[in-house]
């Protein structure tokens, strides 16, 4: 039994398809099938049920994958520990980030980290929060910048800080006018029940948070537009197409284009908990630990 055979089997289990697994592994599909057959012959059990449309794990296959993942993780842990010992400040960290978090927080963090640890290579992977949880659980990222709650039970995390939520409205909106005239200090979310909302598309954690806050206030938000880009959402708000909720880091980011008016919400001000997540039990390299430490220090200076 070879380590690469375990890795091949795990990739097939993840993809449920020989062709996609072969593509991810950068080998020919016949070679992948041959290696799996050799492995099954050696251990004496069938790991997968094959049919024309999909590949499914057998009962023995599910048990095998659980142990195989532990072996592959142990080898990776050993490699990373030896790399830390030999390179000290060197190494590589793969960071997953949600678009709205990465574009507004990482510019504060990465320059400081690069200056302190110039020999550590950073690779960024941007995706939705839902996909990032899966990628991190599968070991495709070392760390991911996410917000609570996490749905993937295999992830552990370190809290970075609490980020308050603001309301974004068009400049001519009655709430903006009242706030400018100092006749309105904060807004209750219940006051927004008849408003038109512009929200992120499904798969983004902040979209769910927006819906949860509205539902807790007793109403379902009336969604008129959806976008995968928070900048687009803010431009639509500024153009008078609706309102939205915005993480405060984004609300404070300087812009020169269409800009909505950002208003504070009433106490207790809703917030989201930002975290750095990683697979539970996964060895964190010195490079990864250094990134977490740098991120915490940089964000502490931004959080009110």
């Amino acid at each position: 039994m070879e380590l690469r055979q375990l890795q091949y089997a795990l990739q097939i289990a993840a993809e449920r398809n020989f062709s996609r697994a072969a593509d991810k592994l950068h080998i020919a599909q016949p070679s992948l099938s041959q290696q799996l057959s050799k492995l099954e012959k050696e251990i004496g059990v069938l790991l997968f049920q094959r049919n024309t449309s999909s590949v499914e794990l057998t009962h023995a296959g599910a048990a095998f994958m659980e142990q195989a993942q532990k072996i592959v993780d142990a080898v990776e842990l050993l490699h990373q520990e030896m790399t830390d010992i030999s390179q000290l400040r060197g190494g590589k960290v793969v960071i997953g980030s949600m678009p709205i978090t990465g574009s507004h927080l990482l510019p504060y963090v990465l320059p400081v980290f690069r200056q302190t640890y110039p020999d550590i290579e950073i690779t960024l992977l941007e995706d939705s929060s839902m996909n990032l949880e899966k990628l991190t659980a599968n070991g495709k990222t070392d760390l991911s910048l996410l917000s609570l709650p996490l749905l993937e039970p295999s992830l552990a995390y370190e809290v970075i800080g609490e980020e308050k939520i603001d309301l974004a409205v068009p400049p001519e909106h009655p709430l903006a006018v009242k706030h400018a005239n100092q006749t309105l200090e904060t807004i209750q979310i219940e006051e927004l029940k008849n408003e038109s909302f512009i929200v992120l598309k499904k798969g983004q954690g902040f979209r769910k948070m927006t819906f949860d806050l509205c539902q807790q206030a007793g109403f379902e938000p009336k969604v008129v537009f959806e976008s995968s880009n928070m900048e687009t959402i803010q431009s639509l708000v500024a153009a008078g197409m609706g309102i939205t909720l915005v993480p405060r880091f984004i609300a404070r980011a300087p812009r020169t284009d269409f800009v909505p008016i950002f208003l504070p919400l009433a106490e207790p001000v809703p917030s989201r908990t930002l975290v750095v997540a990683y697979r539970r039990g996964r060895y964190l390299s010195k490079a990864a630990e250094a990134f977490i430490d740098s991120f915490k220090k940089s964000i502490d200076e931004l959080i009110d």
Side-chain angles (χ1 to χ4, degrees), residues 230-282:
M230 184 59 83
E231 297 292 345
T232 300
I233 289 175
Q234 292 182 87
S235 294
L236 290 172
V237 170
M241 305 306 293
I243 69 167
T244 194
L245 298 180
V246 181
R248 184 160 292 180
F249 288 150
I250 296 175
R252 296 195 310 191
R255 271 183 237 51
T256 57
D257 54 357
F258 288 104
V259 181
I261 301 298
F262 298 102
L263 304 177
L265 294 167
E267 295 287 348
V269 179
S271 65
R272 63 172 183 166
T273 303
L274 298 173
V275 301
V276 173
Y278 47 89
R279 190 170 66 205
R280 193 180 305 278
R282 179 188 178 100

Side-chain angles (χ1 to χ4, degrees), residues 13-66:
E15 299 295 335
R16 293 294 199 273
N17 182 281
F18 275 86
S19 179
R20 288 197 300 269
D23 287 342
K24 291 288 182 65
L25 294 165
H26 305 293
I27 63 173
Q29 184 175 335
S31 297
L32 179 60
S33 299
Q34 183 182 32
Q35 288 297 323
L36 178 64
S37 295
K38 288 175 62 177
L39 176 61
E40 290 178 325
K41 183 176 180 180
E42 179 181 349
I43 61 179
V45 295
L46 193 67
L47 299 177
F48 297 96
Q49 292 285 358
R50 289 89 153 169
N51 57 53
T52 55
S53 60
S54 65
V55 177
E56 298 296 334
L57 282 168
T58 63
H59 177 73
F64 180 90
M65 297 309 155
E66 183 177 350

Side-chain angles (χ1 to χ4, degrees), residues 130-148:
M130 183 183 301
N131 288 340
L132 283 175
E133 287 196 31
K134 295 177 182 177
L135 290 168
T136 307
N138 291 329
K140 303 301 183 184
T141 71
D142 296 304
L143 308 168
S144 281
L145 311 180
L146 297 165
S147 60
L148 296 183

Side-chain angles (χ1 to χ4, degrees), residues 6 41 66 118 122 145 175 209 238 242 267 293:
L6 302 185
K41 183 176 180 180
E66 183 177 350
I122 294 289
L145 311 180
L175 291 176
M209 184 174 197
E267 295 287 348
D293 185 60

